Amino acid sequence: MTGRTAPSGAWRPPLSLDEYAERARTRLDPAVWDFIEGGAGDERTLTANRAAFDRVRLRPRVLTGAGEGDPSTTVLGRRWAAPVAVAPMAYHTLMHPDGETATARAAGAAGLPLVVSTFAGRSFAEIAAVAGSPLWLQVYCFRDRATTRRLVERAADAGFEALVLTADTPRLGRRLRDLRNDFRLPPHITPANLPADEADYSSPSEHGRTGLDPSLDWSVIAWLRSVSPLPVLVKGVMTAEDARCAIAAGADGIVVSNHGGRQLDGTAATLEVLPRIAAAVDGRCALLLDGGVRRGRDVLAALALGADAVLLGRPVLHGLAVAGADGAAGVLDLVLDELSEAMALTGTATAAGADAALLAGPEDTTAVRHRRSGAATTTGPEAAPLAGPEDTTAVRHHPPGATTTGPEAPPAAGPENTVPARHHPPGAAPWDDRRHPPESAARHDRPRPHEPAAEAAEAEATEAAETTGLRKEDLHRSVSDPVLDTMNFLNEITGRFPDVVSFAPGRPYEEFFDKDEILDHVRRYLDHLAAGGASDEAIRTALYQYGPTAGQIRGLISDSLRADEGIDAPPGAIVVTVGAQEGMLLALRALFAGPGDVLLVASPCYVGITGAASLLGVPVRPVEERADGLDVADVEAAVLAERARGRRPRAFYVVPDHSNPSGNTLSRRAREELLELAARHDLLILEDSPYRLVSPGAQLPTLKAMDRTRRVVHLGSYAKSVFPGARVGFVVADQPVRDPSGAESLLADELAKIKSMVTVNTPALSQAAVAGALLACGGRLTERNAVPAKHYGEALRVTLEQLDRHFPEDVRDRLGIGWNRPSGGFFLTVRVPFPADNAALLRSAEDHGVIWTPMAYFYPGPGGERSIRLSFSYLSTARIEDGIARFAAFLRAETERSGATGPTPGRDA
């Protein structure tokens, strides 16, 4: 293998993508090298793509406190490890016999998607079998639409998640290198997913001329939607006008691309046209870019100019040629390492935080400014991250849907220097900016023509904002967590449609609450204190003063846990908290001491724990549940994988009983295995089980009741078993803690120290109300909640019964719809054959009068895109019957709309 060797004789991998390219060139036949490297015509566009990135100047920032940057991003509802995907390229088998399977392994190891070419040299099934990250299909539309249909269907069957229509090839560009070489594919290189006997594929240019449909128009997007439920992206867009057309035609995403300089020579570089296209898109769909990306800082520059992510092309083939899957992985690792370095040195905490302020003007004196909530056009040197005198010309553009003819139409070609705002998460409803409904967005977020008076007013307003306001990127990165945006969107939908039937809130049924009962609870507790010998002064102090930080009703909680749950925890091992949420915050803050400590969570996961982890900067590793729930072997695999990365798995968060959101319950055997694993790997378990005491029937023992080695930190809450407004929870933390002198305390003592700096104490009145409820039932909340548990069990039974009635087994099998059957709790999971995203939720509310929660909200990583959480706890049986009827109508309409029938392709949970 070509390359330098280390002193030990071991092969030394290249240190840059250019080095990978040089080594690949020496290993490949010159004609093959020209086939992958060449461009159209004089290759001016090919050169321009890289030159555009070379002209970008980033602004380094120091002492920003940004910490270790998080490059992860979400595209089309899927979480990527970084805003990078592998671009579609034909015949990876020219580089290495493993071809696309090697590339899929490399992409999966990096956590990045792979866009598989129509002309892949390995079959979709082979690629999918080794893929560890999303697969998209790049679609060439053939004259014979049946061929294209079969191609799309095979990809969907293999679990591919999106279609990328290459729209810039009514014919292939004139590629002089291939013409000079009279390039032909070797006999053993063929497109594995196309009919072998229907065409001669040996000459790519000749087959492109005879096979591709040169008469495509925008109706092809509707046609693709008619044959597949998968999202459709349009690749090859180079103008704002075409971007608007793509959105109007229903595209879910746009790829700004000039085909790597291989089609029309003499066009602008993709980076040059990106800003105006981003302004036209204005966050209404996913926006990606390819062409010329060769370094991690190139990725950051593209994000700053408005892209959600980039596609990396030729360098991946170079890596493949050099060392197969290892070489391709090396290329991706290099880019991601350089991206992390660029983020750190520019003070960029998250990929979503990358904006035009990262880019320096020619004099490096003024930051490029822009609005996040809408596109801001800027003139002058601030608008010229790309060098060249023409870059300083202001460009007019129009709101989406506006015509672009007449004197204000943009020029046919040339630099497009409108600076975009960072835009809305892909997959959101077209108007969804998480803050304003459509009419508000129209008022505030549409770009205005640049007239002198308007520019002066805007400059004045901007200056005022700079002196009096805050920038989102200057705040902690947790406030930009996508979970916050998604939950805000759900709340906004609920507020806009107050008359719908809502299966979203996991709230207790309010008919069980008596407004006078709270007073009875408080009085009962006061009598209890008096009976115990407390003086009037002591009782007054207990109610009106802060009281002990760890709580003043710990003895009653201890008695209740022993009587009701079989948990033997002394009062000193308990901290009374402001709900379970504070307990999570305290436990994470105490246990996670360094950047190498990792929290494992069962996924899908209650968002409170991942939100607390984000707030504290604790890395989260999801352990995905299987169809029948959590497999402890998967937890152990995650522990070992994190240790292999040099990190310490510190704790594992799990809801073992009737989980929120999935509704699944751990078996007794799984609980025993989890405790054994915790002891074996020195792992703590954060147990959270708020639904067991309000669920019908006998319950399995808690993990804490089974805990003999103090591995379990038990997070408790009275939100469901007493009432949510009390906001009282507790942590059982009996783990011993030794200081350097050898003195020993309990973890609960350390949590109380942290709590003294957070909420000081849990309100005494709330504690009194909960204490009175515990006293009324002798600490046996199971008995107190017998009637509510019966109601929730009946609500679950009716929900399942109604789903069965509207979707008999043969119907749900035909439509690809299914659900689990929890034994209790407030939730169940419905699997659907279409994307259950915010756009679908909006249609459900508007057209059918029913609201639910997308399961993707609850996945710390990718997953849940085709699943729905239903909560039935808050509804009467009559409302459930009405709501499921509406929900069934929505499912049928959405299934018909997407054209999806049969088993759901790919992952559905």
Side-chain angles (χ1 to χ4, degrees):
M1 183 173 292
T2 302
R4 298 171 295 171
T5 56
S8 64
W11 177 71
R12 179 179 297 172
L15 299 178
S16 71
L17 298 198
D18 284 343
E19 287 186 32
Y20 268 105
E22 180 56 28
R23 295 194 193 182
R25 186 185 63 80
T26 63
R27 295 177 61 87
L28 295 173
D29 180 276
V32 171
W33 173 258
D34 282 346
F35 174 67
I36 68 169
E37 286 300 295
D42 297 326
E43 299 187 348
R44 291 179 296 166
T45 300
L46 177 67
T47 302
N49 280 341
R50 293 194 64 172
F53 282 106
D54 291 340
R55 291 196 295 269
V56 170
R57 297 293 180 265
L58 299 177
R59 301 176 69 239
R61 299 293 307 280
V62 298
L63 302 180
T64 62
E68 186 177 342
D70 177 10
S72 65
T73 192
T74 299
V75 178
L76 294 184
R78 280 287 244 141
R79 200 71 172 165
W80 300 3
V84 179
V86 178
M89 294 169 289
Y91 304 118
H92 293 206
T93 43
L94 280 170
M95 307 297 110
H96 189 277
D98 291 343
E100 288 79 8
T101 58
T103 312
R105 289 191 182 95
L112 305 178
L114 165 63
V115 187
V116 179
S117 171
T118 287
F119 295 100
R122 299 297 293 266
S123 73
F124 295 155
E126 291 175 309
I127 299 167
V130 299
S133 56
L135 297 175
W136 293 359
L137 172 66
Q138 175 264 340
V139 179
Y140 281 112
C141 207
F142 295 102
R143 297 172 189 262
D144 178 7
R145 287 288 178 93
T147 298
T148 307
R149 178 194 289 268
R150 288 193 297 269
L151 188 80
V152 168
E153 290 172 345
R154 291 180 64 186
D157 289 343
F160 283 46
E161 299 181 16
L163 306 176
V164 181
L165 172 67
T166 294
D168 59 2
T169 53
R171 59 172 290 171
L172 293 186
R174 182 176 169 82
R175 301 167 191 175
L176 299 183
R177 296 200 205 187
D178 292 347
L179 293 174
R180 293 187 183 105
N181 294 327
D182 189 24
F183 180 75
R184 293 289 188 272
L185 294 173
H188 65 284
I189 302 294
T190 58
N193 302 286
L194 293 176
D197 57 352
E198 294 184 11
D200 178 7
Y201 301 107
S202 63
S203 171
S205 60
E206 180 61 22
H207 176 257
R209 187 182 65 80
T210 59
L212 302 183
D213 186 349
S215 62
L216 293 182
D217 59 24
W218 292 106
S219 67
V220 69
I221 296 177
W223 180 80
L224 283 171
R225 288 193 175 283
S226 75
V227 302
S228 171
L230 298 180
V232 178
L233 298 89
V234 180
K235 180 175 180 288
V237 172
M238 288 290 288
T239 66
E241 299 96 314
D242 280 349
R244 285 190 282 269
C245 290
I247 293 171
D252 298 282
I254 288 169
V255 182
V256 179
S257 173
N258 53 30
H259 215 101
R262 292 162 71 82
Q263 283 299 98
L264 178 62
D265 194 30
T267 65
T270 51
L271 192 69
E272 291 175 326
V273 302
L274 173 62
R276 182 183 287 173
I277 293 174
V281 169
D282 196 25
R284 292 177 294 164
C285 70
L287 182 62
L288 293 82
L289 171 139
D290 74 5
V293 176
R294 294 296 184 272
R295 297 157 296 210
R297 68 176 183 267
D298 295 346
V299 179
L300 195 58
L303 299 185
L305 288 170
D308 292 308
V310 304
L311 302 182
L312 184 67
R314 291 177 176 95
V316 177
L317 295 184
H318 300 159
L320 201 60
V322 170
D326 290 340
V331 165
L332 296 175
D333 287 346
L334 263 180
V335 173
L336 298 194
D337 286 347
E338 291 174 354
L339 172 60
S340 296
E341 175 188 77
M343 291 177 67
L345 298 180
T346 57
T348 306
T350 65
D355 61 25
L358 290 170
L359 304 177
E363 304 302 324
D364 196 18
T365 57
T366 308
V368 178
R369 307 181 192 278
H370 71 283
R371 293 187 298 271
R372 283 180 172 270
S373 59
T377 53
T378 310
T379 60
E382 294 91 338
L386 309 178
E390 68 276 15
D391 289 337
T392 59
T393 304
V395 177
R396 300 180 187 275
H397 66 276
H398 303 267
T403 58
T404 56
T405 58
E408 292 191 352
E416 306 197 14
N417 65 340
T418 305
V419 179
R422 294 296 301 164
H423 42 271
H424 316 139
W431 56 267
D432 173 27
D433 72 348
R434 305 297 194 268
R435 289 175 293 280
H436 306 296
E439 59 273 18
S440 177
R443 282 199 306 271
H444 299 298
D445 291 341
R446 294 294 185 245
R448 299 170 298 179
H450 269 261
E451 299 172 359
E455 288 183 0
E458 182 171 44
E460 184 177 347
T462 300
E463 183 177 356
E466 290 293 322
T467 58
T468 62
L470 295 172
R471 297 190 307 171
K472 188 75 168 282
E473 58 266 34
D474 291 335
L475 304 180
H476 188 267
R477 65 187 182 187
S478 62
V479 303
S480 298
D481 194 303
V483 169
L484 301 183
D485 283 338
T486 55
M487 288 305 178
N488 287 341
F489 178 70
L490 183 61
N491 292 336
E492 184 175 298
I493 286 286
T494 304
R496 288 185 63 207
F497 302 98
D499 297 327
V500 301
V501 178
S502 179
F503 289 100
R507 299 165 62 180
Y509 188 53
E510 288 194 354
E511 294 298 318
F512 296 125
F513 299 143
D514 183 340
K515 60 183 175 58
D516 296 326
E517 193 176 24
I518 295 176
L519 301 178
D520 294 338
H521 290 333
V522 174
R523 172 54 60 189
R524 188 178 297 107
Y525 178 59
L526 298 184
D527 293 343
H528 167 76
L529 293 178
S535 66
D536 287 347
E537 289 185 358
I539 293 173
R540 182 179 64 199
T541 298
L543 280 184
Y544 285 96
Q545 296 294 349
Y546 288 141
T549 298
Q552 57 189 26
I553 65 170
R554 292 184 291 167
L556 291 173
I557 293 175
S558 175
D559 292 342
S560 176
L561 288 172
R562 190 175 298 108
D564 224 8
E565 297 277 37
I567 296 175
D568 189 8
I574 296 171
V575 178
V576 185
T577 60
V578 182
Q581 190 66 41
E582 187 191 29
M584 295 175 192
L585 188 73
L586 298 177
L588 293 182
R589 181 64 294 159
L591 295 174
F592 289 78
D597 290 343
V598 180
L599 172 67
L600 308 182
V601 298
S603 178
C605 181
Y606 169 58
V607 297
I609 189 71
T610 51
S614 175
L615 182 66
L616 297 173
V618 174
V620 172
R621 165 71 180 253
V623 180
E624 192 163 331
E625 290 184 351
R626 302 191 181 194
D628 56 350
L630 183 72
D631 189 322
V632 176
D634 293 336
V635 182
E636 184 162 33
V639 169
L640 296 175
E642 287 300 317
R643 285 186 175 163
R645 296 181 62 189
R647 305 204 295 188
R648 178 174 68 157
R650 192 76 171 101
F652 174 59
Y653 172 86
V654 64
V655 182
D657 301 287
H658 324 301
S659 172
N660 177 11
S662 69
N664 291 329
T665 293
L666 274 181
S667 68
R668 181 169 188 127
R669 179 58 190 151
R671 294 169 197 241
E672 293 169 348
E673 291 175 351
L674 187 57
L675 290 169
E676 292 168 2
L677 180 147
R680 189 164 63 250
H681 289 291
D682 191 22
L683 185 72
L684 291 172
I685 299 173
L686 303 181
E687 178 186 31
D688 183 13
S689 282
Y691 306 101
R692 53 186 284 111
L693 297 183
V694 289
S695 294
Q699 302 295 318
L700 292 169
T702 64
L703 289 165
K704 190 61 185 173
M706 300 169 66
D707 182 21
R708 300 293 176 263
T709 57
R710 299 189 184 184
R711 287 287 164 189
V712 179
V713 177
H714 185 82
L715 304 167
S717 169
Y718 295 113
K720 309 302 185 294
S721 56
V722 179
F723 62 93
R727 299 303 301 130
V728 174
F730 59 90
V731 181
V732 178
D734 58 357
Q735 289 73 24
V737 178
R738 294 178 182 84
D739 69 15
S741 70
E744 189 172 284
S745 61
L746 293 179
L747 178 60
D749 301 319
E750 310 307 316
L751 301 185
K753 293 176 185 176
I754 300 172
K755 180 176 170 63
S756 69
M757 295 293 106
V758 181
T759 58
V760 181
N761 78 334
T762 303
L765 276 173
S766 292
Q767 292 190 66
V770 169
L774 293 175
L775 289 165
C777 63
R780 295 185 180 278
L781 290 174
T782 304
E783 295 179 4
R784 178 183 186 274
N785 285 299
V787 173
K790 182 178 180 181
H791 164 80
Y792 297 129
E794 180 68 5
L796 172 57
R797 184 192 67 78
V798 171
T799 302
L800 292 170
E801 180 183 81
Q802 292 300 308
L803 286 170
D804 286 335
R805 185 171 76 83
H806 287 281
F807 295 101
E809 187 172 358
D810 61 329
V811 174
R812 57 181 181 258
D813 287 347
R814 175 169 53 82
L815 296 180
I817 293 171
W819 50 84
N820 64 340
R821 296 180 179 274
S823 58
F826 288 8
F827 312 100
L828 62 83
T829 303
V830 179
R831 299 178 301 279
V832 296
F834 53 81
D837 54 16
N838 285 348
L841 175 57
L842 179 61
R843 290 191 293 271
S844 180
E846 284 182 331
D847 300 338
H848 302 280
V850 63
I851 288 176
W852 36 268
T853 309
M855 279 290 286
Y857 286 9
F858 302 98
Y859 280 75
E865 294 85 2
R866 294 170 182 256
S867 291
I868 287 170
R869 188 193 79 170
L870 293 186
S871 175
F872 41 79
S873 59
Y874 189 63
L875 302 172
S876 67
T877 54
R879 288 288 277 173
I880 290 172
E881 290 177 359
D882 178 29
I884 293 298
R886 300 183 187 199
F887 182 64
F890 159 72
L891 292 185
R892 291 179 183 277
E894 198 70 11
T895 301
E896 182 178 352
R897 175 183 178 275
S898 65
T901 56
T904 303
R907 294 165 25 147
D908 61 3

